[in-house]
Amino acid sequence: MKQNATRPLFPVILLFVLLNSVFIFGRTFLEKWSVDRDVLIVGNLVLFIVTLLSFWLGQRGLRSGNVQAFVRSIYSSFIVKFFVIAAAAFVYIIVTKKNVNKPGLIACMCLYLVYTFLEVSILMKMAKQKKNE
């Protein structure tokens, strides 16, 4: 039986929607902590898109059947994600100059860890299922 292509991504999509809901409706809470809501929303969007790309790379390595190809795909997806996020942070810092919202950047770094953990755990679960088939 063929699995739906978006089903493994459901936790990532759910996380994206829930986080954006919190960022949109939790304005007073974020202002209390001096976190710029727009930084979080854009950071979450960038992380979501990069995680989809990274997940696609990991799935491609998983389909190859070669363990080394899977490990290479996980490393390459990590590197792609890291450099895209680093470039986005660099552009944000250059554009805003001295008005950088440090709490927002730190929150985005935490989101990076959450998205990476979720992505890798889903891929590892898929690898175990493939091994058992």
Side-chain angles (χ1 to χ4, degrees):
M1 176 174 8
K2 186 145 178 137
Q3 188 176 1
N4 188 358
T6 59
R7 188 170 184 197
L9 286 173
F10 181 74
V12 176
I13 295 168
L14 183 65
L15 178 67
F16 173 73
V17 171
L18 287 175
L19 285 173
N20 271 347
S21 299
V22 168
F23 299 154
I24 290 170
F25 298 116
R27 169 178 251 163
T28 56
F29 177 75
L30 294 173
E31 286 175 353
K32 186 171 85 173
W33 288 91
S34 302
V35 178
D36 186 1
R37 179 174 76 155
D38 295 333
V39 171
L40 290 179
I41 291 173
V42 172
N44 191 32
L45 178 65
V46 169
L47 283 166
F48 177 70
I49 292 169
V50 171
T51 299
L52 293 180
L53 172 68
S54 177
F55 186 80
W56 176 75
L57 287 171
Q59 250 187 338
R60 210 174 78 188
L62 188 61
R63 278 191 229 121
S64 75
N66 185 351
V67 175
Q68 288 82 14
F70 176 66
V71 171
R72 275 193 315 266
S73 69
I74 293 294
Y75 282 135
S76 63
S77 68
F78 167 77
I79 290 170
V80 166
K81 187 187 290 187
F82 179 78
F83 281 111
V84 168
I85 298 304
F90 182 72
V91 167
Y92 169 70
I93 292 167
I94 293 298
V95 168
T96 59
K97 300 195 192 302
K98 294 189 181 198
N99 296 328
V100 173
N101 185 252
K102 291 178 186 174
L105 275 180
I106 292 170
C108 286
M109 287 190 313
C110 293
L111 291 178
Y112 169 78
L113 293 174
V114 170
Y115 274 105
T116 301
F117 174 77
L118 189 60
E119 173 200 352
V120 171
S121 64
I122 291 169
L123 285 172
M124 295 305 289
K125 184 178 177 184
M126 290 173 67
K128 284 182 185 178
Q129 287 176 350
K130 184 177 179 181
K131 183 179 174 184
N132 292 335
E133 288 179 352

